[in-house]
Amino acid sequence: MNIKALFSAASVFFLLSFSASTSAQSLYQDLGELEGIDQLNERFVINLVEDRRISHHFEQTDLARLHQMLTEQFCELAGGPCVYSGDDMVTSHTGLNITRSDFNALVEALQLAMDDQGIAIGAQNRLLALLAPMHHEVVNR
Ligand code: HEM
């Protein structure tokens, strides 16, 4: 590989890593950083327990812990300076008999909370895209 090719491969690598890190950074910022994510999850947890389709799942749940764990998880996923300290998704959802409809109801509860929080649709979709792959870790476990 000559020096020109090496240089151009290095700049492509640099640009790719730069764009990956800025998009992760800006999602954290678009969610209002730690304070915004904390407020978002306060609303989200209220929506979950008020939704008659899924509230039964949360009857025995420590809601303060759930709020805290969701905040750490979303902060880390969005590229913020947090480390999720909770149980993995399979462990925490096994035995709960969560259905596809339950999952969809939870997504709606989150969307309502994001609307209330004034989070832009683009940022909403980016957060949902990060959560969507967890579907198989949570449903029918
Ligand atoms: C992408 C979707 C989901 C994410 C990211 C998620 C995230 C979490 C997190 C971070 C925890 C805390 C784990 C811990 O305490 O260490 C948790 C617990 C829990 N989740 Fe989910 N969850 C999802 C889907 C669902 C759905 C669809 C339901 C039911 C409608 C549900 C019901 C619960 C319950 C009941 C707990 C508490 C379990 C316990 O008390 O031990 N989750 N979830």
Side-chain angles (χ1 to χ4, degrees), residues 9 16 35 38 46-48 53 58 62-63 66 68 78 82 91-92 97-98 101 105 109 113 119-120 123 131 136:
L16 284 177
E35 197 184 336
D38 185 69
I46 292 171
N47 290 349
L48 289 175
R53 295 170 295 177
F58 299 96
D62 175 347
L63 297 177
L66 181 62
Q68 178 62 27
C82 307
T91 305
S92 48
N97 297 317
I98 294 170
S101 314
I119 294 171
L131 299 178
H136 72 280

Side-chain angles (χ1 to χ4, degrees), residues 57-58 61 65-66 73 84 86-87 89 93 98 103 106 138:
H57 282 297
F58 299 96
T61 301
R65 177 184 164 90
L66 181 62
Q73 189 187 42
Y84 174 62
D87 296 328
M89 291 298 94
H93 297 90
I98 294 170
F103 189 89
L106 173 132
V138 164

Side-chain angles (χ1 to χ4, degrees), residues 15-136:
L15 283 174
L16 284 177
S17 31
F18 182 72
S19 62
S21 81
T22 48
S23 75
Q25 270 298 94
S26 68
L27 179 57
Y28 176 65
Q29 276 149 10
D30 291 347
L31 295 175
E33 303 195 345
L34 193 52
E35 197 184 336
I37 294 171
D38 185 69
Q39 284 169 11
L40 167 65
N41 284 318
E42 192 171 329
R43 190 70 240 169
F44 180 33
V45 169
I46 292 171
N47 290 349
L48 289 175
V49 298
E50 285 184 349
D51 188 324
R52 287 202 200 150
R53 295 170 295 177
I54 51 173
S55 55
H56 59 282
H57 282 297
F58 299 96
E59 277 164 9
Q60 311 296 324
T61 301
D62 175 347
L63 297 177
R65 177 184 164 90
L66 181 62
H67 175 186
Q68 178 62 27
M69 291 304 109
L70 287 167
T71 298
E72 286 181 9
Q73 189 187 42
F74 289 7
C75 170
E76 184 179 315
L77 277 173
C82 307
V83 178
Y84 174 62
S85 66
D87 296 328
D88 66 71
M89 291 298 94
V90 171
T91 305
S92 48
H93 297 90
T94 294
L96 298 183
N97 297 317
I98 294 170
T99 64
R100 269 178 84 113
S101 314
D102 292 338
F103 189 89
N104 293 339
L106 173 132
V107 169
E108 274 178 45
L110 177 57
Q111 283 172 319
L112 285 174
M114 289 193 288
D115 283 344
D116 274 0
Q117 195 69 10
I119 294 171
I121 294 293
Q124 294 195 15
N125 288 339
R126 281 154 68 209
L127 178 60
L128 293 173
L130 293 169
L131 299 178
M134 296 176 189
H135 183 274
H136 72 280

